[in-house]
Each structure stands twice: as structure tokens, then as C-alpha cells.
Amino acid sequence: MPAPRSLLTLVPRPTEAALRPGHFTLDADTALHIGAGAEPAAELLRTLLAPATGLSLRPSPDGRFALALDPGLGDLGEEGYRLTVDPHAVLLRAAHLTGLLRGIQTIRQLLPPQALSAAPEHGTPWLLPCADVTDVPRHTWRGAMLDVARHFQPVSYLRRYVDVLALHKINVFHLHLTDDQGWRMPVAARPKLTEIGGHRAESRTGPAGSGTYDGVPHGGAYTRAELASLVRYAAARGVTVMPEIEMPGHVRAALAAYPSLGNHPDRSLDVWTRWGVCDTVLGVHDEVLDFCRTVLEEVMDVFPSPYIHLGGEECPTTEWTHSAPARERAAAEGLSTPEALHGWFLGQIGDFLVRRGRRPVGWAETGAELPLDFTVMTWRDPSHTLTAARRGHPVINAYHRATYLDHAQSDDPNEPPAQPGTVVDLRAVHAHDPVPEDADAETAGRVLGAQTQLWTEFVTTPAHIEYLTYPRLCALADRGWSGATDWADFRARLGEHTARLDALGIRRHP
Ligand code: ACM
């Protein structure tokens, strides 16, 4: 009989876990005792285990594998759970459904890695080691951002991406849907956004500043039904899809579709074929604000996420300085300079989201420039996290030197094309504490967590996405869920965990 898997292989590491002798065997006779409200968790367990194990896990009041909501476990929070495995019974309990969904990923990891295979695995006994696990995340935000604007990926791949996020108890899938180089979200009231803005003539092949292009048209857009189905798929795995619609910069694709939204209404622009910061931005006239609200109404219809990301970064204000209507707008709003239109614009749109019961999110340039009701993603400098949190913003730490997966993970010259400059190695990701060292308790309490970023200027295929994402995302998930700082312990667990990634067919970095 093979030895049961050690608890020491789990990624992320559980808060408290004790292994006991013996195991529970899942087989054709195993039935689920499903408590009231736990049905979606049972459904997920079956869905995840069926391909490899072929187990039906039928419901039965006499089932020895129990899934139950237990209000008595309220102190474990939204995502915490308790798992007890004995030779003759399994009991997974949580105060909330999301906790059960997290516990199911733990059960999945406790089984032999073959349980994660997409194809039937014959001859593997499905043993769960006897154990007691009580598990609560340290941070409420453990995210992963994927840029589908620079290079489009079909929704079938996004489902797989979500599957692997959920395995790691990542709870936010941040979908970067619009940028200078492409608009991927359909908007019924503004069909040219995807008809025109969803396609570019070609792409620059080197980094910003290089003058070579591939000559290959690139395009793609989702249907509303595809996005809605992705949201449901992710929700069934306890993952929230947070959409990002960039404004007032990073909008060249929208301006190509609707020139009247810009500062030179008669100008005709292409969907951008270069990388970097584009100096064409939205105008600040009423039509533009109405446009943004119309787009966001449709976005909110598709995405129930409490958070809606408005981008906001890298917005050159030169066009406003040279535009008479923009200067008039600034004066009418009592702003001292056209540059101040940036905060004003985001304030207008942020207020709109707040009135609709949503929370605006923006990328920080300094941590001090966004309206106070914004949740801030800090990326440029570690000090911005402290600045934003001290100002009173909820903050998500996305510091580029620790979380940008578009940077190479080693200085090996054979690494595929990446953002030049910084190497972001596995250890840097694991060492990244989202909470700044100098934060007092109140400030620290505003740091919601961390997330990885995958900008896709140089990343065109799912294989390349997975190579850049794994195993670095495992490190962020481990740190974000457990707060574990022990590098050697993480490396040891990861050594075992790679068998799971391999069973899933993830084309990871070695
Ligand atoms: C960013 O890297 N533009 C947030």
C-alpha cells in the first residue's frame, strides 16, 4: 500500500495541520452526506475528481464523507474551514460556502497527484491521510491579473487559468480587458469598441523603442455570454472575476473606434501597434463621462464583483494642457491645472461606481493621488503601499519587483522574451510581504493582500503564460494565504507540489 501523502506537501500551507496514522479510501462505495447549503461544494468536488477517478460520489444520508455548513465556525471567517479525516469518515465544515470550496482544494491536494489528471487514472488507490486541518487565510485578497488586451486568449483558456488559481486558493482573477492595443469586452451600446477596437494591424516585436513589427494582425473579443459563463465558472470555484476597464489613459483602442471621445475629435487613430505609454487619452467633455458610465453599466451587468478596476495609471496630461475644452473644464471645476483633471475624472467615475454599490480600484502612481474611496493597487515602489494605506485607502500590494510575472524568472539567456530589466525570481515572490515593515496595526489592517501581474506584450500563447505563471504564483499564494516565511519549507513543499502541476499538464518553468 503506498504511503499517504504528507500534509507537508500542501501549497498554500494550512494554518494548522496534524497528520494521524491511517487513511480514508475513496472508492465506488463512497457517498457524500451533503448538509443544507453545501450542495455547490459537493458539485465542485465531483466535478474536480470525476475525470481522473471516475468516482460518482453519490449523495446519501448515510454517506461517510460529509460536507456541512456550520455557523459555529464563524470565527474562521468567509474562507476558513476545518477538515477531519478518520479511517471511516471525512468531515469538511465551514461557516460559509467559500470555506468549503477552499477545503475541497485541500482534499484534492491530499489525494495522490494523479487525482488532478484530466484523463482516467486506473490502479491508483484514492487515499486521504488521516488528519486534522484548521485553515484560515492571512490576507483576504490573493489575486492574479491576466492582460488579455495585449494578447487575446479564448475563454476556454481562461477557464483553465481559473481552475489552477482555485487549486492555489487564489480568490481574485483580475481580467485586464482594455488597453491601447485592444478592447475585448463587448458593449452593446458601443459596438465599434470590439468591432474596430478589438483588432490591430500588427504588433511590435521588441521592447518599447525597438522599430520592428511582426506584420501579423491580432484581434479578438469575448461575447457577453462567454464572460458571464466565465464569471459563473469562477464563482463555482470561489474565485471572483474583477474586470478592469482602463481610463482615462491606455484607451487608444477606444479612440480608434470612437474618435469623438478624444481630445482631437477629427483625428483618426489606429489601434496601437506599439508598447509603452501612449500619449492619446480620453477627453474630459460630457460625452466621455457618459460613455464611461454606459460602458460600466454593462460591465456591472456582467461582473457581480464588488470591485471594478478603472486602471488610471500612465495617463500623460499633455493633450489636456493643449486642449481649450479641457482647460475650460478644469477652470469650471475649480481645478488649478489641467493635470488635476486626472483625479477629477477618476473621482467622477469612482463616485458613479460607489453610487451603484461597487468599489473603484486604481493603479497608484504615488499612492497619494487617487480619490479616497478608491482601493489602490501599488506597483511602482514599496513606499507607495505605506503612503496609500496611511491615507486611508484599502491597498493591494502589486509591487513589480515581486509580483510582475512578465519579468524573466532567471537571468539565463535562454529565458523567453520578457520585460527587460528586473529579474523576478521565485524567491523574490515568496519573500514579498504585502504589509510594509513600518506599518502600524491600523495601516497594516488596510493592506488587503497581494496579487501577481501578467502583462502580455511578449506573451502570446497559453504555454508561455503557464511558463511565466508557475511556479511563481505558488509562491504568492503560499505567502498570501499562510503568511509563511520559511523559504526552505516552501521549497520542500513545492518539490512535491510540482507533481500536481505536472498531472494538470501545466507547462511550468523548471
Ligand atoms: C502598470 O504596470 N501599468 C500598472
Side-chain angles (χ1 to χ4, degrees):
M1 190 65 76
R5 307 285 295 162
S6 159
L7 286 181
L8 297 176
T9 71
L10 297 173
V11 175
R13 194 173 84 177
T15 313
E16 284 172 35
L19 201 60
R20 286 183 278 100
H23 59 262
F24 179 95
T25 304
L26 282 90
D27 58 27
D29 293 332
T30 305
L32 299 182
H33 181 100
I34 306 166
E39 296 84 358
E43 189 58 36
L44 180 64
L45 184 67
R46 282 194 204 101
T47 301
L48 292 176
L49 295 187
T53 70
L55 296 174
S56 66
L57 301 174
R58 66 195 159 77
S60 163
D62 304 324
R64 291 186 294 114
F65 194 129
L67 304 168
L69 287 176
D70 180 349
L73 294 178
D75 55 338
L76 301 184
E78 196 62 34
E79 296 185 277
Y81 65 93
R82 187 163 286 161
L83 172 67
T84 309
V85 183
D86 288 318
H88 303 293
V90 176
L91 175 57
L92 175 63
R93 288 178 297 156
H96 301 278
L97 178 60
T98 309
L100 294 180
L101 302 181
R102 302 289 176 255
I104 279 166
Q105 298 293 345
T106 298
I107 289 168
R108 197 176 172 212
Q109 290 201 15
L110 286 170
L111 288 166
Q114 293 89 328
L116 281 81
S117 169
E121 291 280 340
H122 302 290
T124 305
W126 303 115
L127 307 185
L128 269 180
C130 290
D132 295 296
V133 179
T134 300
D135 204 7
V136 180
R138 175 170 183 236
H139 291 295
T140 56
W141 191 295
R142 305 167 313 278
M145 188 281 285
L146 182 65
D147 166 12
V148 291
R150 269 55 174 268
H151 280 101
F152 179 77
Q153 295 298 336
V155 91
S156 56
Y157 180 67
L158 301 188
R159 281 195 289 271
R160 171 178 168 88
Y161 195 79
V162 164
D163 270 331
V164 194
L165 298 185
L167 172 69
H168 294 91
K169 301 186 174 75
I170 294 288
N171 62 352
V172 180
F173 179 28
H174 171 175
L175 198 53
H176 184 80
L177 283 164
T178 70
D179 215 304
D180 297 310
Q181 299 84 359
W183 185 290
R184 311 292 175 213
M185 160 96 196
V187 177
R190 294 283 195 164
K192 289 187 203 164
L193 284 171
T194 45
E195 287 167 12
I196 292 175
H199 304 272
R200 65 175 180 265
E202 57 182 351
S203 308
R204 213 165 222 183
T205 49
S210 83
T212 54
Y213 292 84
D214 63 4
V216 181
H218 179 80
Y222 303 107
T223 66
R224 192 180 159 107
E226 282 178 326
L227 292 173
S229 85
L230 177 68
V231 165
R232 284 193 301 274
Y233 187 90
R237 286 150 184 79
V239 177
T240 299
V241 184
M242 176 181 68
E244 180 182 358
I245 305 292
E246 279 267 16
M247 61 187 74
H250 285 282
V251 289
R252 172 80 167 229
L255 296 180
Y258 294 103
S260 66
L261 299 172
N263 292 288
H264 300 277
D266 302 330
R267 178 178 55 187
S268 134
L269 294 169
D270 60 349
V271 177
W272 222 30
T273 56
R274 304 185 218 164
W275 314 123
V277 177
C278 185
D279 55 12
T280 49
V281 305
L282 290 175
V284 291
H285 41 297
D286 288 344
E287 183 201 346
V288 178
L289 297 175
D290 288 343
F291 163 83
C292 292
R293 295 185 194 110
T294 300
V295 167
L296 290 170
E297 288 283 10
E298 295 199 27
V299 167
M300 287 187 283
D301 273 353
V302 174
F303 296 96
S305 163
Y307 293 90
I308 307 283
H309 204 306
L310 299 177
E313 90 287 22
E314 296 177 327
C315 177
T317 52
T318 322
E319 284 195 345
W320 295 338
T321 305
H322 295 293
S323 148
R327 286 198 306 273
E328 280 159 27
R329 172 68 92 175
E333 297 297 334
L335 305 172
S336 54
T337 62
E339 288 77 55
L341 286 164
H342 177 258
W344 170 83
F345 188 103
L346 289 169
Q348 297 290 309
I349 304 301
D351 282 352
F352 168 74
L353 291 180
V354 169
R355 284 198 305 274
R356 292 286 194 282
R358 307 295 181 102
R359 297 181 206 165
V361 184
W363 297 108
E365 294 294 16
T366 65
E369 82 287 7
L370 288 167
L372 273 173
D373 49 12
F374 271 61
T375 294
V376 172
M377 274 191 183
T378 51
W379 58 288
R380 284 186 185 276
D381 190 275
S383 68
H384 297 168
T385 302
L386 204 53
T387 302
R390 282 189 175 146
R391 259 187 113 214
H393 293 286
V395 183
I396 297 131
N397 189 327
Y399 178 43
H400 70 282
R401 288 180 190 275
T403 70
Y404 271 37
L405 305 185
D406 51 326
H407 288 275
Q409 42 210 319
S410 82
D411 53 14
D412 185 325
N414 297 317
E415 290 287 359
Q419 293 289 0
T422 316
V423 166
V424 175
D425 65 17
L426 184 65
R427 190 162 190 163
V429 182
H430 197 258
H432 178 58
D433 187 344
V435 180
E437 231 173 271
D438 305 336
D440 60 26
E442 195 184 355
T443 308
R446 297 201 186 101
V447 179
L448 304 182
Q451 70 172 35
T452 56
Q453 276 55 241
L454 185 46
W455 305 104
T456 57
E457 287 93 330
F458 309 113
V459 187
T460 60
T461 63
H464 195 179
I465 290 175
E466 291 180 358
Y467 179 87
L468 292 172
T469 304
Y470 295 97
R472 287 185 291 185
L473 184 130
C474 309
L476 183 123
D478 200 56
R479 187 73 194 233
W481 177 277
S482 71
T485 56
D486 185 336
W487 169 246
D489 169 70
F490 170 68
R491 282 308 304 242
R493 280 181 290 119
L494 185 64
E496 301 288 329
H497 183 66
T498 53
R500 297 185 193 109
L501 300 179
D502 293 346
L504 284 166
I506 300 284
R507 293 150 283 188
R508 63 187 166 83
H509 188 278

